Amino acid sequence: MFFSLDGKQVHGATGAVGFEGRSDPIVVLIHGAGMDRTVWSQQTRFLAHHGFRALAIDLPDHGKSEGPALESIADLSDWIAEISNHFGEKIHLVGHSMGALTALHAAGNHKDSISSVSLLGVGATMPVHPELQEAADANDVKAAQLITSWGHGTKHHLGNNPTPGLSMTGGTQALIESTARGVLGVDLLACSSYEEAVESAENIDCPILFLLGSEDKMTPRKAAQPLIDAISSEKTIVDFPSTGHMVMIEEPDLVRQKLLAHVTSS
Amino acid sequence: MVEPEFRRFDTRALHAGQYPDPSTGSRAVPIHQTTSYVFDSVDQAAGLYNLETSGHIYSRISNPTVAVLEERLASLEGGVGAVCTASGMAALHLAVATLLNTGDHIVASRNIYGGAFILMNHTLPRFGITTTFVDPRDPEEFAKAIRPETRLIFAETLGNPGIEVLDIGAVSDVAHAAGLPLCVDSTFSTPYLINPIEHGADIIMHSVTKFLGGHGVAIGGTIVDGGRFDWEASGKFPTLTEPYEGYHNITFTEEFGPAALSMRARAEGLKDFGACMSPANAFYLLQGVETLPLRMARHVENTQHVIELLDGHDAVEWIKHPSHPSHPDHDLAKRLYPKGTGAILSFGVKGGREAGKKFIESVKLASHLANVGDAKTLVIHPGSTTHQQMSIEDLENAGISEDLIRVSVGLEDPEDICGDLDKALRSSQR
Ligand SMILES: Cc1ncc(COP(=O)(O)O)c(C=O)c1O
């Protein structure tokens, strides 16, 4: 689905279920750095057929959304709040990595727009390895390889994907490689320079769900703890053993179930 | 310097796609000899049928044993996914049927497996899909043959039977400039010798029957989806970029991005055409893939011994193998194939057709049969077997002369292989 925000074309996948004539609550799924809507392919269509209008968006200059890429988590979260304004209703947010920081910031700073948040692969800070930033800035394929390598738990490096025939690491790498030139570097800088995560967490008053991989090397499990501790609203924490940063790809079934339960009860 | 850490090729050949079964502890990949899978609930069943959730429904569409092989091959090729099929021919058909429609056109190398040539030259035209055949050594010829209705460029990484080495990068540049994907049949090279995706190929097809399976015990095929081709930017592939009514109007690129082709090939092609791989065959083929690196290294080594024997042999007119300096692609082969160009070679016997027949009938260790990529050494005279349906002109175009003998060098002791070939060559001259 395409729609227009601030005069720019925005694209999102809706699980092939149109929004017309539906009043179900909207769940916006926000991808991470250098990725796009398709990281949620195992969740979007499911939510769309289970009582929600699912909208896995392409952030500006990602997937099929018009650029330029936004350069800070605050800008991204303002943009997300605009989506709520566009539809004239509160929205549920699900975010991964950079998308998780975006959802967190939006929930802390645009309270009237957000019904609930679910965060995957998140930390109170997201430092980026300087060599990764450098490779991303240089549009070097090594950046995609590093993220793919760090992004999947040891077990999931070998796969055994519940989606028959698909390679988890192969999919992640091809997706990052498809990112428009320059965009991954902008994304990573937005992540590493964001310092308001704990403050945003303290402000949150909607229900929040954490889906965390115990082998996450991009945002280690312990980096999520300061956020969890700072949150005073209703919180649910689900730890995924043997799972890395790409939780929704590595454990699609459980993530689907947990997300549905969370948005349904919020 | 930080480096990405992935399991290496030989490790993935053994492990990718599988870890021990959690309920039984089985270390080997179990053969899931079942047609169908019990649903948890009506909702789960509906979700599976609707591509909302992942899992198995019916073994024509997917099967856990076959899925291990698929993921393993995708991993070894560096692709986003793979779909295994009943045979290599079924894989080629699946690629074509998933991407092309009536009225569409293929540009293909003329030096391809006889069965693939027949499919494209005689059978697909019945369904309104035509092919122009070109010299695989000339990327310009591919470019010139492209028409507005062209949808696929096809060639073998190592051609058949002249072992023409495809300049994958150059031909993929031609394809991509025209908004088209390059599909390569990498059967002769296997992912051990080359990963065509790294060189620009978009779809990799294998007859898994051959070196991947490696023991001549099961027929199977696969297409591996590179996941790098931008179907939407190309705008020529409505099966991937337009809503599909067969699945509640899903648009495969929209939902699955890089894995659009794999998903559609399974959801439509396997489901509707039904040329699926059996779980037992997947198991046999997996046993082969586990030792692919060891076997291929030995196949290549033994091939060198055979080439040394044939080189300068009194009964040999010529040799075709890219590792031989007389081969036109010798330099390209060195650049693209540091580990060697495989174990299939051809040569001409002095004395033409008659001598060729005598040779074939004199081998004692090598087997005369229509296959390649077995652990055992195989020989054949294509002019009278695999390529016999082709006209003399088509044969010449495909680089097949009447004296041509093809050898698929096996894993026997090289002295025994060479001894057998030598004796048969001598007999052929009597
Ligand atoms: C290069 C090549 N491609 C495709 C095929 C067809 O594969 P299959 O026999 O598994 O259908 C063969 C062999 O028969 C082959 O040698």
Side-chain angles (χ1 to χ4, degrees):
Chain A
M1 163 168 96
F2 283 98
F3 57 100
S4 166
L5 222 53
D6 303 330
K8 295 215 157 71
Q9 282 272 77
V10 178
H11 175 260
T14 60
V17 185
F19 276 24
E20 303 76 37
R22 294 179 66 195
S23 57
D24 305 325
I26 296 175
V27 181
V28 176
L29 300 110
I30 315 167
H31 62 80
M35 303 195 181
D36 71 17
R37 68 191 181 278
T38 60
V39 294
W40 304 109
S41 66
Q42 288 301 313
Q43 287 82 30
T44 311
R45 198 163 158 82
F46 176 76
L47 290 170
H49 285 275
H50 285 80
F52 292 87
R53 278 175 290 167
L55 180 61
I57 43 147
D58 286 332
L59 291 171
D61 217 7
H62 297 72
K64 294 193 277 183
S65 286
E66 206 179 330
L70 301 176
E71 293 180 3
S72 74
I73 299 298
D75 287 352
L76 284 164
S77 87
D78 290 347
W79 186 84
I80 289 293
E82 278 299 309
I83 294 181
S84 152
N85 292 340
H86 173 87
F87 290 104
E89 62 188 274
K90 280 181 128 180
I91 54 180
H92 296 275
L93 295 183
V94 178
H96 172 244
S97 199
M98 177 179 78
L101 293 182
T102 301
L104 176 77
H105 194 85
N109 298 277
H110 299 282
K111 294 186 190 187
D112 296 343
S113 304
I114 313 301
S115 315
S116 81
V117 252
S118 303
L119 308 180
L120 295 79
V122 71
T125 57
M126 281 195 201
V128 171
H129 194 291
E131 286 182 51
L132 170 57
Q133 183 70 55
E134 207 176 293
D137 291 340
N139 295 299
D140 185 341
V141 67
K142 187 178 171 186
Q145 291 166 347
L146 286 172
I147 295 177
T148 305
S149 155
W150 294 335
H152 292 268
T154 315
K155 179 175 162 189
H156 295 126
H157 261 255
L158 294 177
N160 199 352
N161 197 337
T163 309
L166 296 192
S167 163
M168 291 185 192
T169 50
T172 300
Q173 188 167 321
L175 178 60
I176 302 171
E177 281 181 29
S178 75
T179 306
R181 287 176 72 77
V183 170
L184 179 60
V186 172
D187 288 354
L188 293 175
L189 199 56
C191 293
S192 61
S193 52
Y194 181 60
E195 290 174 348
E196 297 161 62
V198 171
E199 193 183 317
S200 295
E202 283 166 354
N203 286 339
I204 288 177
D205 58 12
C206 66
I208 182 162
L209 169 68
F210 287 89
L211 302 173
L212 305 170
S214 61
E215 279 189 27
D216 190 334
K217 292 197 189 81
M218 302 287 288
T219 51
R221 171 63 181 84
K222 63 178 190 304
Q225 203 54 46
L227 295 179
I228 295 169
D229 295 343
I231 282 164
S232 54
S233 67
E234 185 191 326
K235 54 191 167 190
T236 310
I237 294 103
V238 183
D239 284 303
F240 291 77
S242 313
T243 301
H245 188 60
M246 304 299 293
V247 195
M248 63 286 184
I249 287 169
E250 294 174 88
E251 293 293 347
D253 296 329
L254 209 48
V255 167
R256 251 188 317 260
Q257 296 304 336
K258 296 292 175 191
L259 284 180
L260 180 64
H262 184 68
V263 291
T264 303
S265 69
S266 297
Chain B
M1 242 192 9
V2 291
E3 290 299 333
E5 270 187 50
F6 294 104
R7 297 290 185 197
R8 288 162 181 79
F9 188 91
D10 294 16
T11 308
R12 286 182 283 126
L14 284 155
H15 291 277
Q18 191 233 2
Y19 28 84
D21 182 59
S23 54
T24 60
S26 298
R27 177 58 273 194
V29 179
I31 305 177
H32 290 274
Q33 193 68 50
T34 182
T35 55
S36 30
Y37 308 84
V38 177
F39 302 123
D40 289 346
S41 64
V42 170
D43 181 59
Q44 187 238 4
L48 282 169
Y49 272 104
N50 197 24
L51 289 184
E52 294 164 30
T53 61
S54 41
H56 305 287
I57 298 173
Y58 188 67
S59 288
R60 174 166 19 90
I61 306 168
S62 67
N63 167 279
T65 310
V66 180
V68 174
L69 178 60
E70 289 169 333
E71 229 184 301
R72 190 160 302 175
L73 295 176
S75 171
L76 294 180
E77 284 291 14
V80 301
V83 179
C84 280
T85 52
S87 67
M89 288 308 295
L92 179 55
H93 174 260
L94 181 63
V96 170
T98 302
L99 292 172
L100 278 70
N101 291 300
T102 301
D104 290 346
H105 172 254
I106 300 170
V107 178
S109 156
R110 65 184 183 213
N111 303 108
I112 56 175
Y113 167 59
F117 177 83
I118 303 272
L119 171 74
M120 290 180 180
N121 201 40
H122 299 296
T123 312
L124 288 178
R126 292 206 291 113
F127 301 92
I129 295 171
T130 54
T131 300
T132 303
F133 295 95
V134 300
D135 177 0
R137 292 207 169 97
D138 187 356
E140 261 306 296
E141 274 206 27
F142 284 92
K144 282 195 204 125
I146 292 171
R147 306 179 193 155
E149 65 272 22
T150 304
R151 291 294 176 273
L152 192 66
I153 308 293
F154 178 79
E156 292 179 0
T157 51
L158 299 175
N160 206 332
I163 321 299
E164 297 78 11
V165 178
L166 186 73
D167 187 341
I168 303 169
V171 176
S172 75
D173 285 348
V174 166
H176 296 163
L180 299 172
L182 170 65
C183 175
V184 294
D185 178 339
S186 199
T187 299
F188 282 16
S189 43
T190 82
Y192 175 77
L193 295 177
I194 198 166
N195 283 139
I197 294 166
E198 284 176 11
H199 297 267
D202 303 292
I203 306 159
I204 318 302
M205 186 226 114
H206 287 282
S207 169
V208 186
T209 314
K210 307 292 167 7
F211 294 102
L212 281 164
H215 298 81
V217 297
I219 303 281
T222 195
I223 52 172
V224 177
D225 177 0
R228 268 66 170 184
F229 189 79
D230 192 338
W231 306 105
E232 287 186 346
S234 162
K236 297 179 180 206
F237 298 94
T239 55
L240 301 183
T241 61
E242 303 286 330
Y244 176 42
E245 281 184 35
Y247 271 97
H248 280 162
N249 284 324
I250 200 162
T251 300
F252 286 85
T253 48
E254 176 85 355
E255 303 297 327
F256 302 110
L261 171 65
S262 321
M263 294 298 288
R264 173 90 184 207
R266 185 180 306 282
E268 180 192 48
L270 272 194
K271 185 167 148 279
D272 297 0
F273 302 126
C276 58
M277 181 182 282
S278 78
N281 273 359
F283 174 82
Y284 290 128
L285 296 167
L286 274 164
Q287 305 316 302
V289 173
E290 292 198 350
T291 57
L292 176 73
L294 296 173
R295 289 185 296 101
M296 283 312 284
R298 177 69 183 259
H299 274 298
V300 167
E301 198 185 307
N302 282 2
T303 302
Q304 286 318 306
H305 289 285
V306 171
I307 287 171
E308 278 162 31
L309 166 80
L310 299 177
D311 202 5
H313 196 290
D314 289 346
V316 173
E317 200 80 64
W318 50 267
I319 308 173
K320 272 195 196 145
H321 189 269
S323 69
H324 194 268
S326 69
H327 194 277
D329 304 322
H330 184 62
D331 291 337
L332 178 63
K334 273 205 241 168
R335 175 158 68 80
L336 292 186
Y337 291 87
K339 289 194 239 173
T341 37
I344 297 166
L345 59 91
S346 57
F347 66 90
V349 196
K350 275 192 187 147
R353 195 176 184 83
E354 273 313 303
K357 259 194 188 163
K358 268 196 204 158
F359 168 82
I360 288 281
E361 280 164 4
S362 307
V363 290
K364 300 263 185 307
L365 180 65
S367 310
H368 175 213
L369 51 72
N371 191 23
V372 294
D374 197 322
K376 292 151 190 143
T377 295
L378 316 174
V379 291
I380 200 160
H381 184 216
S384 56
T385 52
T386 49
H387 290 60
Q388 57 134 334
Q389 278 110 328
M390 289 166 67
S391 67
I392 297 283
E393 195 195 351
D394 283 342
L395 270 181
E396 270 172 19
N397 271 336
I400 297 163
S401 51
E402 286 203 329
D403 61 348
L404 185 148
I405 303 285
R406 186 182 69 190
V407 186
S408 174
V409 181
L411 303 177
E412 299 93 343
D413 188 294
E415 282 194 35
D416 290 337
I417 302 173
C418 291
D420 188 45
L421 298 180
D422 184 34
K423 272 191 201 134
L425 278 169
R426 287 172 202 280
S427 302
S428 76
Q429 303 301 303
R430 280 182 210 130

